[in-house]
Amino acid sequence: MFRYFPSNYPWDLSINLALEMGARIGEIEEMCAPLKEAAKAKDEAGSIAFRESWERMADKLCDLAQEDEDKGRLLSAGDKYARAATYYGTAERLQGLGSESRLTLYKHFLKVFAKGTTLAKENCERVEIPYEGKHISALFVRAEGVEGKAPILVQVNGLDSIKEMIYRVGVPQLLAKRGISSLIVDQPGTGEAIRLQGFTARYDSEHWASRIVDWLETRDEIDAKRIGLQGVSLGGYYCPRAVAFEPRFACGLVWGANHDWRDVQKRRLEKEGDFPVPHYWDHVRWVWGAKDMDEFMQIAENVHLDGVLDQIKVPFLVTHGEKDSQIPLKWAYRTYEQLVNSPKRELKIFTDREGGVQHSSFDNSANAGAYLVDWVAETLGGHTA
């Protein structure tokens, strides 16, 4: 794990994620160098300083992109807007819930991200899936070189990730080269779903996952018999739960097991493990729609996979980083052990040898990501050569 601020795990987590999303190390240095003292405080003032520094860089990139546009250099402009969006999104993620103009920043991030993908002519389409009288938003990436219906992997967020983050890390592009389409979703409790639609998280993830499958079955370019589901981080709970109770999924995989999130919360109350965001307890209450800690802990009692996984009767891959400092490795073994009815279950622990040893391999996703997409291609009928 790249440690710029050794005493501030949430900030270093954000830097590592940004690098995985295409940030440039020189820009990281320019944004972070003025923040060394602020990083030690771990307070709201520090989060604001982080936002201001990263916004300045993003604003500069947008200005440079506009200069490219004026010269007709649209591909170069798209690349700069893409990085600007990464920096806006990273800054927004670290802000407290009551921070000034957080929602305005998020909406600006969405606009800049969309402009970047359009100008760069990326294989990325924003789509809306009907849900509870509103919609769930997602990014659709088409399989390359496939005639007729293609298999697809639905990819869902964790606690504090967003669909654009998962897209930029690059798994959908790797899948496309292997003949697999992708649908990267802001499910309830994440991204647009909670910020713009008001959908809080729910433990019965099959509720929204089934609506996604319903929508995919209406798409002419999708093979409805070959729909897989992947979850990252807290998605390591959402995904197995959904696959267990939605039999139309043809396979499942988790990038970071999260077998017993209720236990993780109890340990975090006792100061065990690293927190992904600085305002953690405010964040989880917001995500789950809890008015106070008592209600949140009651909700968290439902967020575990014991008594669930024997319902899974399709291939399933469990992966975990050997040095994950957020979710203990033991939960990956527990998930794997309870997949007793999966016809093809596999456990892969990423070690120092291949990298990706931290939480959901945010420290180095290259080899870990390749392992996942090859498994998906072999399982859903894509290709690896």
Side-chain angles (χ1 to χ4, degrees):
M1 179 177 177
F2 176 60
R3 296 308 303 259
Y4 196 100
F5 303 112
S7 65
N8 196 320
Y9 176 87
W11 284 24
D12 277 353
L13 168 62
S14 296
I15 292 170
N16 279 261
L17 288 170
L19 287 167
E20 291 297 309
M21 295 166 65
R24 298 300 181 188
I25 194 67
E27 292 169 353
I28 291 286
E29 169 64 18
E30 184 175 336
M31 291 184 289
C32 291
L35 299 174
K36 291 180 179 179
E37 289 303 314
K40 298 175 183 178
K42 302 181 183 180
D43 57 12
E44 184 65 19
S47 295
I48 292 172
F50 187 102
R51 169 181 172 168
E52 291 173 347
S53 186
W54 284 58
E55 272 195 280
R56 278 195 298 272
M57 176 60 72
D59 290 344
K60 180 171 71 172
L61 285 171
C62 286
D63 290 342
L64 292 170
Q66 184 60 61
E67 292 174 14
D68 285 337
E69 283 193 83
D70 293 342
K71 296 175 182 177
R73 299 171 178 173
L74 303 187
L75 295 175
S76 293
D79 179 65
K80 293 180 179 68
Y81 282 128
R83 293 206 311 284
T86 291
Y87 301 152
Y88 285 133
T90 300
E92 188 271 346
R93 178 179 167 275
L94 288 182
Q95 300 309 299
L97 298 182
S99 60
E100 185 177 358
S101 303
R102 182 181 180 183
L103 185 58
T104 300
L105 176 58
Y106 178 74
K107 291 179 179 179
H108 184 58
F109 151 74
L110 290 177
K111 180 180 177 180
V112 173
F113 176 88
K115 193 168 188 178
T117 57
T118 298
L119 292 181
K121 298 182 179 180
E122 297 183 35
N123 174 14
C124 180
E125 175 190 355
R126 185 183 184 279
V127 297
E128 296 181 353
I129 301 163
Y131 182 73
E132 300 292 279
K134 299 180 182 178
H135 69 263
I136 294 173
S137 61
L139 301 175
F140 179 50
V141 177
R142 298 172 187 272
E144 298 175 5
V146 175
E147 296 182 4
K149 296 179 180 293
I152 190 167
L153 184 68
V154 180
Q155 296 150 59
V156 299
N157 293 313
L159 176 68
D160 51 274
S161 55
I162 53 179
K163 63 186 183 301
E164 294 82 7
M165 179 187 296
I166 292 178
Y167 171 80
R168 282 287 172 222
V169 168
V171 164
Q173 295 83 347
L174 295 176
L175 286 167
K177 292 180 182 299
R178 289 160 174 79
I180 311 288
S181 294
S182 290
L183 188 73
I184 312 106
V185 181
D186 275 344
Q187 80 270 17
T190 69
E192 290 188 50
I194 191 164
R195 289 166 175 83
L196 303 182
Q197 302 295 331
F199 292 134
T200 54
R202 48 190 305 160
Y203 77 91
D204 54 344
S205 52
E206 68 274 14
H207 186 273
W208 47 259
S210 293
R211 311 292 179 84
I212 293 169
V213 177
D214 290 343
W215 182 82
L216 286 171
E217 288 183 332
T218 69
R219 303 283 294 199
D220 292 336
E221 68 271 58
I222 299 302
D223 184 347
K225 299 297 183 183
R226 292 187 290 166
I227 301 173
L229 181 63
Q230 173 190 291
V232 59
S233 190
L234 184 53
Y237 163 78
Y238 292 131
C239 168
R241 165 84 195 201
V243 173
F245 295 110
E246 175 41 83
R248 290 176 291 176
F249 284 115
C251 71
L253 60 153
V254 296
W255 199 346
N258 221 319
H259 188 94
D260 195 334
W261 200 66
R262 61 182 173 178
D263 181 76
V264 172
Q265 305 321 296
K266 294 172 184 176
R267 302 288 78 78
R268 285 177 173 170
L269 282 173
E270 297 171 2
K271 311 299 184 186
E272 292 183 18
D274 288 318
F275 288 11
V277 288
H279 47 283
Y280 181 77
W281 296 114
D282 288 340
H283 185 81
V284 294
R285 290 196 298 269
W286 173 57
V287 164
W288 292 92
K291 65 179 181 296
D292 54 34
M293 281 299 297
D294 288 341
E295 184 178 8
F296 167 69
M297 293 305 292
Q298 290 174 2
I299 293 171
E301 282 296 316
N302 297 305
V303 189
H304 67 89
L305 295 170
D306 289 334
V308 169
L309 297 178
D310 61 345
Q311 299 295 315
I312 293 179
K313 299 178 175 64
V314 295
F316 207 98
L317 171 65
V318 180
T319 74
H320 209 84
E322 188 176 46
K323 297 180 179 178
D324 190 323
S325 63
Q326 291 191 44
I327 308 297
L329 178 59
K330 66 180 181 179
W331 295 124
Y333 289 102
R334 176 77 67 85
T335 293
Y336 173 77
E337 290 164 359
Q338 293 186 7
L339 288 165
V340 293
N341 291 317
S342 169
K344 177 189 172 185
R345 63 173 178 171
E346 181 177 343
L347 174 64
K348 173 63 177 176
I349 308 300
F350 297 117
T351 67
D352 284 330
R353 181 171 180 266
E354 64 264 79
V357 299
Q358 288 291 335
H359 184 62
S360 298
S361 302
F362 69 78
D363 56 308
N364 182 358
S365 68
N367 294 336
Y371 191 96
L372 268 71
V373 298
D374 285 340
W375 185 91
V376 172
E378 291 164 355
T379 302
L380 290 182
H383 55 84
T384 59

